[in-house]
Amino acid sequence: QALTSWLGLGADHKISALDVDPRTNTVGSALVAMVDTTFAPAETKNPAKMLPFIQPGRKWILYPGTTDPAFPVAPTVQFYQELSALLHGRDKAAANVRLFLVPGMQHCSGGIGPDQFDTLSAIEAWVERGKAPESIAAHTKADASVVPHELPLCPYPRQARFSGFG
């Protein structure tokens, strides 16, 4: 009910009627259009709108879940690529902006992947000590529905690979 209220649909609207494929946790264009309409005033799809925030040297970490059913990860990657182009390349963008894809995480948490990680300490070290995050340790929370595991989140386009050990 909170989700339907968040989308402005009212209490009598059924979540099951939303445009989501339960097999893949992907949303259809109707739901994307509804979210766009509902949140258009806070729209940040245009990377140029973020330049006034970034250009004074501020730091920004983006960390979408790759299985987020509400917001597909592809537009975030595209946004980051367009922002990098505006900042004259990924290397220059990385001085202020890092994108960490979180494999298996849904919207902010949950899913089969690790959803427990500390971006606050990472950004604090970046801002206060100039130590940009090269990885962020992530793990699953203690939950009977997920096999416990951990892995490093890496700045896009890098990604952790299983070495065959551990």
Side-chain angles (χ1 to χ4, degrees), residues 59 94-95 98 121-134:
K59 309 302 182 197
R98 301 275 169 114
S121 292
I123 203 141
E124 180 180 61
W126 197 6
V127 169
E128 295 181 3
R129 295 186 299 283
K131 184 174 176 1
E134 293 303 323

Side-chain angles (χ1 to χ4, degrees), residues 15-28 67 69 106:
I15 286 229
S16 59
L18 293 176
D19 188 17
V20 178
D21 182 340
R23 293 168 294 134
T24 61
N25 282 329
T26 55
V27 297
T67 58
Q106 293 182 350

Side-chain angles (χ1 to χ4, degrees), residues 91-123:
D91 289 342
K92 289 189 179 180
N96 299 86
V97 183
R98 301 275 169 114
L99 169 62
F100 292 84
L101 302 180
V102 186
M105 185 176 80
Q106 293 182 350
H107 189 72
C108 298
S109 66
I112 61 169
D115 64 351
Q116 306 294 298
F117 48 91
D118 181 6
T119 55
L120 182 58
S121 292
I123 203 141

Side-chain angles (χ1 to χ4, degrees), residues 6-9 13 15-21 26-39 45 69-72:
W6 178 71
L7 289 171
L9 297 174
H13 195 87
I15 286 229
S16 59
L18 293 176
D19 188 17
V20 178
D21 182 340
T26 55
V27 297
S29 55
L31 183 56
V32 170
M34 184 185 309
V35 170
D36 283 349
T37 300
T38 303
F39 298 102
K45 288 187 230 169
F71 300 100

